[in-house]
Amino acid sequence: MSTVDLAETAAGLPQAWSSRLLGRVGAACVKVLRMDGSPVEEESHAADEALLVLDGRLELEVAGTEVSVRAGELFMVAAGTAHTVRPGSRGTLVIVELPEM
């Protein structure tokens, strides 16, 4: 096993909001991506999702409530909860989620 430079990996992705699978922990996928300020359409998932901001800020709307997640903070989205990324989200994000079936 080797270490992964998360900021370097995210910076090297060809486009923002296109995640790279880093590995699995049990059934869960661990991904990294680069946020570029663009909004992302509303989505929900069958399982909980963990969103960890490494640097920058993630601006969300979760079930109609605006939420700001700062660098070093983790936000848990409960299964089935509608959430969208609002404009202005920038930085590096790690996502831990179960694959969609």
Side-chain angles (χ1 to χ4, degrees):
M1 186 66 172
S2 60
T3 60
V4 176
D5 184 323
L6 296 171
E8 182 179 295
T9 301
L13 292 171
Q15 62 188 54
W17 298 109
S18 176
S19 64
R20 176 173 175 205
L21 178 64
L22 300 171
R24 294 183 183 273
V25 178
C29 298
V30 179
K31 302 175 180 179
V32 66
L33 61 80
R34 177 172 39 87
M35 303 179 285
D36 71 348
S38 302
V40 177
E41 292 182 13
E42 181 177 275
E43 60 184 16
S44 64
H45 307 282
D48 295 346
E49 178 181 43
L51 306 172
L52 173 62
V53 178
L54 296 181
D55 61 75
R57 180 176 292 240
L58 173 61
E59 300 292 342
L60 295 171
E61 184 172 316
V62 181
T65 301
E66 291 185 359
V67 176
S68 291
V69 186
R70 298 175 302 196
E73 293 183 334
L74 173 72
F75 187 81
M76 297 296 298
V77 181
T81 303
H83 58 287
T84 186
V85 176
R86 296 183 295 128
S89 298
R90 294 186 181 279
T92 307
L93 179 66
V94 171
I95 300 173
V96 180
E97 63 183 0
L98 291 176
E100 296 289 329
M101 300 289 178

